[in-house]
Amino acid sequence: MPHFQVPGPQGRTVRHSVARHLTSIGSATECHLVLQSPEVEPTHCTLLHDNGRFLLESSQRSAVFYVRGKKTRSHDLRHGDVVVIGGIELVFSTVDDSMQPTDSAPPPVEAAPIDVMGRLVEFSEVLLRPGELDKVLSELIDQIVALTRASKGFLVLAEDGQQEYQIRVARNLDRQPVDDPSELLSDNIIREVITSRQAHIISDAYSDTRFQSSLSVINLKLCSVMCVPLLARGELLGIIYVGNDNVRDLFRAPQLETLKIFAAQAALIIKNAKLLNELRHESAELAERLENFKFGEIIGACPQMIEVYNRVEKVAGTDITVLITGETGTGKELIAREVHVRSPRQRGPFITVNCGAIPENLIESELFGHMKGSFTGAIANQIGKFQAADKGTIFLDEVGELPLQLQVKLLRVLQERQIQRVGDAKTMPIDVRVVAATNRELAEEVKGGRFREDLFFRLNVIGVELPPLRERGDDVVLIARYLAKRYAKEYGRDLDPAKAFAPSAIHAMMKFGWPGNIRQLENHIKKALVLAEGPQITARDLDLDAPEGLKSDDHEILPLTEARELWQREYINRVLARNDGNRTKTARDLGVDPRTIFRHLEKEGKDGS
């Protein structure tokens, strides 16, 4: 058998048999013949054995060697040639001298199973390390090229429904990027694998009848090629392509099976990376949408809230008294804060007084202050909330709860811009803007004699009415995702806001009446974050299995066509809400043309944004 005589340890000679079509020689451990010398490149040269010819070629311009004392980069070896590589002398022989002692047995033609398993374990360890996807994929191709002894390897990812592809990684035997990789691939071979979704091993592409008319195969003069599809749950993600342009019949069936195993690993990595990137994109998109739909600390984009924002913007720059009305839990204090923050008084104090939470006998002192000794327990002079809010804003929450005798004093403060502390004979001027809020119908309270009409008109110079959550459409989902993101870390949950809620939860939230409005929604979400066991919050976790008012006899019997259309419209709206109004993603989820969603939105009278 042809072989090299190589200097071994302790001056002994080691014989390395040439048993392959292509033998790699270099300092890298992946090479068939390893030469330990600092002057030897990782893959210094290759020996091509073809029909009795032994062609020794440099793998790169700088990797020269000497044959019989002459410097060269390519040489047809003959029996007895002396080759010097990096100072190491090798003697080439075509005669198998069975009497010559050997220190190592000829390596098998195919990679040993233990080598395959070792590389698979090594690659699996790489997968477990945090890092960039491109580095992991490059390591994958390096392992495959070294294992199959190919001269180059490529990772090709399918795009646009597998009609187009992109070369993601291109590496050679030296673990270096390949220049102009698109010029080294056969489009026809790639198309064959993408179309059939089957692994192919091609011993001599140049002579293969399937590719005799392929210009890429003819121009490249391709020899051995292996090509394996990357499949994940039936989805074609791309292919792995390895080849050698000099040696025919380089690859065998066992190597193809090995490549399939690595391809299965790679497909899982790529699929998970795509899902992760999609989640990150959706999270970024959600964060952007939330930012666009935020007005200070307020979340919402329904027409009623846009009208509220516009009104706040207009009145904030003035000192006009504002009355905010709306049900409990609609966010009246947040609106009051926005009036203050967007006003010239933003650097001044913002003082909140809950008029319904202070005992009637203390509320006057709380608002206006008191003098020492003015009543039992008044052991020192005390300023009131109005004085504390000087040069700023005072927010009178639940102003409808004020007793009638105090309404008179509040009216005087609004008219004269002066306060008088309890037990004090003199008044003092104040510079305060008043913003009030109530969940009562003050006009009805006036009619019932429970609220002074003149005070009502003083407070209601500009009115801002907040809509209840049940009338705000998709805002409930936006607010829920914002709250889930806000409280997830506090309650030890790792949730992606874009995927935090299961479809059942979204549907239940959209159907529920929310009598307690945002405050009630917040409480339900906190409870769900504590009790939910799955990766997503469900309707059961939110304790919304039976939405309020939803009964089986609430619906009249409709013709089947009408009922089907009604159900379809409702289902599209639910998916749109789940996707935050993203029409393209909704069309993709439902498997329909985006124009179907556009037409649906036109019928619904929405703009689809």
Side-chain angles (χ1 to χ4, degrees):
M1 177 179 291
H3 61 273
F4 282 109
Q5 294 179 17
V6 185
Q10 300 177 351
R12 301 174 64 184
T13 300
V14 178
R15 187 177 70 173
H16 182 91
S17 299
V18 178
R20 301 172 182 269
H21 293 290
L22 186 71
T23 300
S24 57
I25 304 171
S27 59
T29 56
E30 291 87 358
C31 290
H32 302 114
L33 176 51
V34 180
L35 302 178
Q36 298 295 341
S37 170
E39 299 177 23
V40 178
E41 300 290 341
T43 303
H44 199 98
C45 53
T46 57
L47 178 64
L48 174 64
H49 177 199
D50 191 22
N51 294 329
R53 182 188 182 194
F54 298 90
L55 177 62
L56 187 64
E57 289 188 309
S58 298
S59 60
Q60 50 189 297
R61 182 174 294 275
S62 61
V64 298
F65 53 86
Y66 296 84
V67 180
R68 297 185 182 274
K70 293 184 179 180
K71 180 179 178 181
T72 183
R73 286 194 294 271
S74 178
H75 183 79
D76 280 302
L77 291 180
R78 300 286 188 270
H79 176 71
D81 278 346
V82 178
V83 182
V84 179
I85 302 174
I88 300 175
E89 188 177 276
L90 293 77
V91 179
F92 180 69
S93 176
T94 58
V95 178
D96 185 8
D97 185 359
S98 59
M99 298 302 294
Q100 183 177 356
T102 61
D103 289 342
S104 62
V109 174
E110 302 298 343
I114 191 67
D115 187 22
V116 174
M117 292 303 298
R119 291 190 184 278
L120 189 58
V121 170
E122 182 180 343
F123 179 60
S124 298
E125 290 175 349
V126 172
L127 298 185
L128 296 175
R129 300 178 202 146
E132 297 178 5
L133 177 63
D134 285 341
K135 291 182 179 179
V136 175
L137 297 180
S138 294
E139 179 67 23
L140 164 73
I141 297 301
D142 287 340
Q143 295 282 1
I144 289 172
V145 169
L147 192 64
T148 60
R149 309 302 181 188
S151 59
K152 55 185 176 292
F154 306 88
L155 178 69
V156 180
L157 295 185
E159 295 184 340
D160 298 332
Q162 292 79 47
Q163 300 303 311
E164 299 293 337
Y165 60 85
Q166 176 190 19
I167 300 172
R168 184 69 174 267
V169 181
R171 309 278 282 183
N172 60 24
L173 194 56
D174 289 327
R175 292 176 169 249
Q176 297 299 316
V178 174
D179 295 331
D180 299 323
S182 59
E183 302 297 325
L184 302 176
L185 289 171
S186 168
D187 290 343
N188 286 65
I189 293 176
I190 291 174
R191 295 291 183 196
E192 176 72 20
V193 174
I194 288 177
T195 303
S196 66
R197 297 191 172 202
Q198 297 294 322
H200 282 63
I201 184 168
I202 301 160
S203 301
D204 185 358
Y206 192 71
S207 303
D208 196 308
T209 56
R210 291 173 295 173
F211 309 111
Q212 284 182 344
S213 61
S214 169
L215 291 177
S216 60
V217 171
I218 294 171
N219 293 335
L220 293 172
K221 297 181 180 179
L222 296 178
C223 289
S224 300
V225 174
M226 278 196 300
C227 204
V228 175
L230 295 166
L231 294 168
R233 296 180 180 178
E235 179 184 357
L236 179 61
L237 304 175
I239 63 164
I240 292 176
Y241 179 113
V242 294
N244 189 293
D245 301 340
N246 299 316
V247 183
R248 294 190 297 272
D249 298 319
L250 178 62
F251 305 127
R252 298 287 188 271
Q255 290 170 299
L256 185 64
E257 292 304 314
T258 299
L259 187 56
K260 286 181 180 179
I261 295 173
F262 275 86
Q265 287 274 68
L268 289 176
I269 306 165
I270 296 168
K271 180 64 176 177
N272 289 339
K274 288 179 69 176
L275 291 173
L276 183 60
N277 287 338
E278 184 178 340
L279 284 175
R280 286 173 176 166
H281 176 74
E282 289 182 2
S283 294
E285 187 180 71
L286 175 61
E288 182 180 354
R289 288 174 63 82
L290 284 174
E291 196 60 37
N292 292 337
F293 293 155
K294 283 182 72 175
F295 185 77
E297 294 299 316
I298 307 159
I299 304 294
C302 67
Q304 301 98 308
M305 291 305 296
I306 298 299
E307 185 177 340
V308 169
Y309 302 157
N310 290 336
R311 177 160 287 209
V312 170
E313 287 279 13
K314 289 177 181 178
V315 304
T318 71
D319 260 352
I320 294 176
T321 303
V322 177
L323 178 63
I324 306 169
T325 57
E327 295 179 4
T328 299
T330 51
K332 295 187 287 295
E333 184 174 348
L334 291 178
I335 291 294
R337 285 185 181 275
E338 285 307 309
V339 172
H340 172 70
V341 168
R342 295 167 188 269
S343 74
R345 296 175 177 269
Q346 58 179 309
R347 296 185 181 277
F350 178 81
I351 304 297
T352 299
V353 181
N354 188 335
C355 300
I358 305 172
E360 187 173 334
N361 61 331
L362 295 178
I363 194 165
E364 182 178 358
S365 170
E366 188 75 15
L367 288 176
F368 308 126
H370 62 259
M371 301 298 291
K372 179 180 178 181
S374 58
F375 56 86
T376 303
I379 59 176
N381 293 342
Q382 180 69 44
I383 67 170
K385 299 294 187 181
F386 270 89
Q387 193 173 351
D390 193 50
K391 301 295 190 295
T393 303
I394 187 168
F395 173 51
L396 302 176
D397 196 11
E398 302 304 342
V399 71
E401 305 295 329
L402 283 175
L404 283 170
Q405 64 270 25
L406 198 60
Q407 293 179 25
V408 177
K409 295 184 178 182
L410 176 59
L411 178 62
R412 186 180 302 117
V413 170
L414 295 177
Q415 289 173 335
E416 300 175 2
R417 297 291 171 177
Q418 291 185 336
I419 62 168
Q420 184 176 15
R421 289 186 289 186
V422 177
D424 196 355
K426 60 183 180 180
T427 61
M428 62 179 66
I430 54 165
D431 179 16
V432 174
R433 180 183 193 165
V434 176
V435 178
T438 181
N439 61 357
R440 292 191 178 189
E441 290 287 346
L442 288 188
E444 295 298 321
E445 295 294 301
V446 169
K447 290 179 181 179
R450 293 178 295 275
F451 201 85
R452 292 182 62 93
E453 185 176 29
D454 47 2
L455 178 58
F456 173 60
F457 290 132
R458 276 286 179 181
L459 292 174
N460 194 30
V461 179
I462 294 289
V464 176
E465 184 177 1
L466 293 182
L469 187 57
R470 61 183 172 274
E471 296 178 5
R472 291 176 56 178
D474 296 347
D475 278 3
V476 65
V477 180
L478 284 174
I479 297 169
R481 285 175 171 161
Y482 171 79
L483 293 172
K485 179 181 179 181
R486 178 180 173 183
Y487 291 113
K489 286 187 178 180
E490 181 179 339
Y491 292 102
R493 295 300 301 265
D494 184 16
L495 286 177
D496 187 317
K499 300 288 185 182
F501 296 96
S504 65
I506 292 174
H507 184 231
M509 287 190 294
M510 295 287 289
K511 288 291 186 183
F512 193 66
W514 300 112
N517 292 289
I518 298 171
R519 191 174 295 124
Q520 183 183 10
L521 173 63
E522 183 177 17
N523 291 336
H524 277 261
I525 288 174
K526 286 181 178 179
K527 175 184 177 182
L529 287 171
V530 173
L531 299 180
E533 297 180 354
Q536 289 185 309
I537 295 172
T538 65
R540 185 175 295 275
D541 297 328
L542 289 168
D543 198 17
L544 296 178
D545 284 346
E548 188 178 85
L550 188 62
K551 300 178 181 178
S552 59
D553 59 354
D554 284 344
H555 306 284
E556 60 177 318
I557 297 177
L558 300 173
L560 185 58
T561 304
E562 269 187 64
R564 186 184 294 115
E565 183 180 349
L566 184 64
W567 179 88
Q568 180 175 305
R569 286 169 54 194
E570 182 184 22
Y571 188 70
I572 292 175
N573 284 335
R574 283 162 50 191
V575 179
L576 274 167
R578 179 184 178 185
N579 292 332
D580 294 330
N582 188 320
R583 295 168 293 188
T584 303
K585 188 174 188 308
T586 299
R588 187 167 66 247
D589 289 346
L590 295 176
V592 298
D593 190 283
R595 288 173 293 184
T596 301
I597 306 302
F598 297 153
R599 287 193 294 268
H600 166 78
L601 291 172
E602 288 175 0
K603 289 181 181 178
E604 293 287 298
K606 301 179 181 178
D607 61 5
S609 60

